[in-house]
Amino acid sequence: GADVINDITGLGDPAMMTVAARTQAPVVVMHMQGTPRIMQQKPSYREVVAEVIAWLEGVCGRAIEAGIARHQLIIDPGIGFGKTTQHNLELLHRLRDFRCLGYPVLVGTSRKSVIGDVLHLPVGERVEGTAATVALAVYEGADIIRVHDVKEMRRVIDMTQAIQESTRRWERGADVG
């Protein structure tokens, strides 16, 4: 009865691949270095974006081999899951790079520690930081945004998309005034 499978383990359990193939539900494949208990203990990458892309590509390939349809797959770079603040900022800055895989991209930054680290704010005071990351994610090509403050972030998304559309019209030489 699930509408979407959101697997933070990145289909690490083979039984999850079987369930996803059988149900034909969309599957969010999220990157995470380590496990929830240890993921924030010294996360390390040589090149975070390239490594996360390669990992997602490998998992999606195995998922397709296991019978999950390509159109079911959604990728999530896993902001906050086994990454430092700098890793998270680089992933957001280079989010467009994930488009090379050809899957819809999901981003979940809502109230995350990266926002708290940058702005020095507790969880309950991170709405503006979340808004900034949501606007950037939409601008950089994210297809799906996962948030807590739905009404406010819907407005941020609408405004970002309006700016993008205005820019497209301007670039085509259309009158935007």
Side-chain angles (χ1 to χ4, degrees), residues 38-147:
I38 64 164
M39 67 184 179
Q40 290 310 115
Q41 294 175 8
K42 299 182 183 176
S44 176
Y45 301 87
R46 285 178 180 254
E47 170 49 60
V48 67
V49 174
E51 290 177 47
V52 173
I53 287 173
W55 185 89
L56 288 167
E57 183 175 39
V59 171
C60 288
R62 289 189 296 281
I64 291 168
E65 289 173 6
I68 299 172
R70 182 176 179 79
H71 71 268
Q72 284 177 254
L73 297 170
I74 300 164
I75 58 172
D76 178 348
I79 302 296
F81 285 79
K83 292 148 186 102
T84 65
T85 295
Q86 191 56 46
H87 294 143
N88 290 314
L89 293 173
E90 186 171 347
L91 287 166
L92 286 168
H93 173 71
R94 295 187 46 205
L95 194 61
R96 195 166 297 277
D97 292 2
F98 288 84
R99 307 298 300 169
C100 73
L101 296 175
Y103 301 102
V105 177
L106 181 146
V107 175
T109 57
S110 189
R111 304 180 189 174
K112 292 263 175 103
S113 62
V114 62
I115 297 166
D117 291 347
V118 170
L119 300 178
H120 310 290
L121 293 172
V123 172
E125 295 181 27
R126 297 179 185 171
V127 70
E128 297 92 345
T130 297
T133 62
V134 166
L136 179 66
V138 169
Y139 187 80
E140 289 298 321
D143 300 287
I144 303 167
I145 306 293
R146 182 176 45 230
V147 296

Side-chain angles (χ1 to χ4, degrees), residues 5 7 9-23 27 66 68:
I5 297 170
D7 187 359
T9 70
L11 297 174
D13 182 348
M16 186 59 77
M17 286 202 197
T18 303
V19 169
R22 187 180 76 244
T23 63
V27 182
I68 299 172

